[in-house]
Amino acid sequence: MKKIYMDYSATTPMREEVLEAMLPYLRERYGNPSSLHLFGRETRKALDEAREKVAAGLGVTPEEIIFTSGGTEANNLAIMGVARGISSGKNHIITSAVEHHAALDTVKFLGERGYKITILPVDEYGIVSPQQVKDAITDQTILVSIMTANNEVGSILPFEEIGRICREKGVYYHTDAVQAIGHIPFNLHEQPVDLLSLSAHKFYGPKGVGALYIRRKTRVKQILFGGGQERKLRPGTENLSAIVGLGRAMELAVAHIPEKIEKLSRLRDRLIQGLLQIEDVRLNGHPEKRLPGNVNVSIFFVEGESLLLDLDLKGIAVSSGSACTSGSLDPSHVLLAMGLDPQIAQGSLRFSLGAENTIEEIDYTLEAVQETVQKLRAMSPFIRNIC
Amino acid sequence: MKKIYMDYSATTPMREEVLEAMLPYLRERYGNPSSLHLFGRETRKALDEAREKVAAGLGVTPEEIIFTSGGTEANNLAIMGVARGISSGKNHIITSAVEHHAALDTVKFLGERGYKITILPVDEYGIVSPQQVKDAITDQTILVSIMTANNEVGSILPFEEIGRICREKGVYYHTDAVQAIGHIPFNLHEQPVDLLSLSAHKFYGPKGVGALYIRRKTRVKQILFGGGQERKLRPGTENLSAIVGLGRAMELAVAHIPEKIEKLSRLRDRLIQGLLQIEDVRLNGHPEKRLPGNVNVSIFFVEGESLLLDLDLKGIAVSSGSACTSGSLDPSHVLLAMGLDPQIAQGSLRFSLGAENTIEEIDYTLEAVQETVQKLRAMSPFIRNIC
Amino acid sequence: MYNEKVMDHFQNPRNVGEMDNPSGVGEVGNMRCGDIMKIYIKVENDIIQDIKFLTFGCGAAIASSSALTEMVKGKTLEEALQITNKDVANELGGLPEPKLHCSNLAADALHKAILDFQTNK
Amino acid sequence: MYNEKVMDHFQNPRNVGEMDNPSGVGEVGNMRCGDIMKIYIKVENDIIQDIKFLTFGCGAAIASSSALTEMVKGKTLEEALQITNKDVANELGGLPEPKLHCSNLAADALHKAILDFQTNK
Ligand SMILES: Cc1ncc(COP(=O)(O)O)c(C=O)c1O
Ligand SMILES: Cc1ncc(COP(=O)(O)O)c(C=O)c1O
């Protein structure tokens, strides 16, 4: 059976070059980077080099990069760390309704802890406008955390303008760029961003490692306690091989972005067009301001998991919502925030394309989806009720 | 030049079998375990199997194992997680002065947050007595966190008796077993322990992964926020290859423990005896209740970093204190807690032996230490003042 | 996630479709998870001669509906009323924990269909 | 961590040892990090003819002491008094940040030795 992977937003296969870079640190270079001896110095050097690569990829300096165990921890550190670092007594945090749970739930937790929180609504495309952010900022605001690009519907948010507003108002701006890095061009040096989260496994690097960019002079405090690693901001023996892999993956990710965008968006648009030819299918997310690999559609009258399951039987791997919530039964909080009816939100599929997809796969997938939809609609009580 | 690694307590080389087990998950098996499709199901299965292996190694059930990014996070989750899980209003936590910073500093942080904390002193060997624990428990106590074996001086603490007392008093007992797992025999099923931290890279597994054992019905809340992974206790895309490596490392670690202990302690005792033949050297830690690979000595009149540096030039990798604090300038909090004079604490070295050390290496090391000590003492202003 | 038996019912659902002139119709829906099941029965001499279902829902919901229709066909109404959602799950060889309560409602739909039949008789 | 020059001074420290009948002795010690340095000087015609050191401390402390003795030998007292800890660190091609303040005290010890000489002269 064909195996077609179209879930690159959930995670990506690692590039062979990345594994090559990691292997020495899974074998003979095993020293603890905090150790002063030879074994430690050689891994310390690798750690420093990886930090330089990540910094270079973002257009910032190595001292501004803190390695974490992934995008989730980076978001937690950014949001809780800023909250802990504030000494002014201010306590208002702004985020959006379409954030990944790693940001949204962290903000909500701070809400339970007595912080004032504002969760901004989004438009029908899942986008927060800069004006909304501007209006929400008060003299108590310490942090705005709004993602760069949405992991479910692929919409790209106006992070630059939002950052500019935060800068003007003297408020920290954090952006969850987990889905953006390596997929859209990015130079932090030119952008008014104070903190940025990334996760290696979303751009052909290893799982279990990420980074938080913290602009110089941004006051952040650690949220986990232990040794003095990562400038005391993130204790624990460094996940060295993964960090080296992250460094290499970043180097590769930022190369040839325009070409990658061009290739992917061509596939994406072909898939979108084909899907929209099926009756009662709507595209979710912004039609243009959208990640080059993301296709998210609602297929009326049928439910997402059964769609996914039937496609899986045909060898096609897609997602109904984000991976980490697809085990749960609730319809996507992102689609609901965009105003979709819960029943329609539930009949949604995300195809996220990546490096190895081909036109043939797109065409095979389109046929498969058509078949699956037909089959499931034949079982659906709705189609008769509604049409 | 010879390269002799005697810093196994800082980290260990990974066993080839562990890497073998990991490689498929760094290559073709890359699916996100939360994904419902084929790619996700195969990694979900690997995740479940790794959990079974870790559980089997500890003598517990898989549902009681939560994977983390390492020993540090396991300790943080245990201590803060229990504190967050308590709804009774009780707020007293007991720990010891010789804990790793990942436990000690977490408890201190809770102290700043309004929890009552007791940091128990230790005897000259770095050991807390069960009686001390018993006396410290009040009707407000929620948690006792006392390590299984100390990472610097190697003393094995009476964790079983301490656990028994906690059980009697109805107080949770957490033990940081990061240095114990794979090095001393252990069956949690028979022991009154409610939470236990471990870290794979301390027993020939990968860096960046650990686990927290949480006995069924122990009330713990998450400390990081995000997706629903690890029974909602530890969000974030799973570090799959590392978790698979942890599973395999655990299988290997718990096999043949008596033989490993016998081999290592023979080397250890030879090293101790040799070192004690140098004038003005004292052994730190308990002479018998001690990890099979640990040798910690104070070498009077000389300073630890310069000892370490000179030995490093001879190809011998040792540590002056724990790896994560050896970048810092303070003498070890463990040695100070044991009552050592700061100047003497500063002249301390930890040799931690492991799988690949040989008698020849021990003998070479003994000669090297002798030479180094002689050289550095010739520069020391103390030896003349004092003798 | 699902066992083979569940997957078989999902892939080859038995008794899918509407029914002309059913003796009774039962519909259950769980707003929280959004699964909707509709069961049509044809009753003769207190025996369920024919049964059909329509389901909007996840794999477990579809498989439960399908399995139920097989379990019930040819049974008396009394026998059919004894069948619980749990029986359906057991017939399927078990369902994943989170699916047990939301997507395993076929027996409820059947009972409603029987009630509908009895009420309108 | 340390550069080659530092490591060279650490491995082959110059002018180690005590001195018989020194013209002056200076000792500094930093209790927090525990480094102790003792500098002996022999002064003739206001010139430092000989210098020795004893140091208890980390690699940086030993290297700083050694480097200082080389820098100072043959210098006039006035010249020697101008030398700062920072000069010593520069002479070594730099020291790691955390070592700059604790272990780089050799110039202080020298100045004390000169003061000792001048006071007892
Ligand atoms: C936008 C976004 N933020 C954060 C995360 C969390 O990253 P990780 O799973 O690597 O912790 C993800 C992916 O799961 C994501 O898509
Ligand atoms: C006793 C003890 N606890 C906790 C840790 C922390 O483990 P990790 O560095 O894997 O986070 C270590 C080692 O560094 C340790 O020795």
Side-chain angles (χ1 to χ4, degrees), chain D residues 92-105:
Chain D
L92 283 167
L95 285 170
E97 223 311 287
K99 300 290 184 178
L100 272 177
H101 304 290
C102 276
S103 309
N104 180 23
L105 302 167

Side-chain angles (χ1 to χ4, degrees), chain B residues 56-82:
Chain B
L58 296 176
V60 301
T61 59
E63 298 70 41
E64 297 175 308
I65 301 298
I66 297 295
F67 293 119
T68 68
S69 66
T72 297
E73 192 188 338
N75 280 348
N76 275 259
L77 176 57
I79 296 167
M80 288 202 269
V82 163

Side-chain angles (χ1 to χ4, degrees), chain A residues 70-72 75 100 102 147 149 151 176 178-179 199 201-202, chain B residues 236-237:
Chain A
T72 297
N75 279 349
H100 189 275
M147 69 201 318
N151 48 308
D176 174 350
V178 166
Q179 293 289 342
S199 185
H201 73 101
K202 305 288 189 183
Chain B
T237 302

Side-chain angles (χ1 to χ4, degrees), chain A residues 3-70:
Chain A
K3 289 213 285 182
I4 299 181
Y5 189 71
M6 292 195 175
D7 203 7
Y8 283 85
S9 284
T11 194
T12 58
M14 219 158 66
R15 285 183 62 161
E16 192 59 33
E17 297 98 311
V18 172
L19 180 57
E20 287 304 317
M22 291 170 68
L23 279 175
Y25 301 92
L26 290 165
R27 293 205 172 108
E28 68 276 11
R29 300 206 188 155
Y30 57 82
N32 188 320
S34 299
S35 295
L36 297 178
H37 47 64
L38 184 65
F39 297 81
R41 288 199 307 278
E42 73 184 7
T43 51
R44 158 70 49 190
K45 189 157 162 280
L47 184 65
D48 291 344
E49 285 169 5
R51 202 183 306 279
E52 280 161 23
K53 287 177 184 170
V54 173
L58 298 175
V60 302
T61 60
E63 298 71 41
E64 297 175 308
I65 301 299
I66 298 295
F67 292 119
T68 68
S69 66

Side-chain angles (χ1 to χ4, degrees), chain B residues 193-241:
Chain B
V193 168
D194 299 299
L195 305 109
L196 176 142
S197 304
L198 59 88
S199 184
H201 73 101
K202 305 288 190 184
F203 51 91
Y204 307 98
K207 294 178 178 58
V209 67
L212 180 65
Y213 156 75
I214 306 178
R215 184 180 290 274
R216 207 185 304 264
K217 294 194 180 142
T218 306
R219 298 187 53 178
V220 176
K221 276 198 182 170
Q222 67 191 135
I223 60 172
L224 295 173
F225 302 88
Q229 292 93 344
E230 297 298 302
R231 298 197 290 115
K232 298 212 167 126
L233 279 169
R234 204 289 172 173
T237 302
E238 295 87 347
N239 188 352
L240 198 81
S241 64

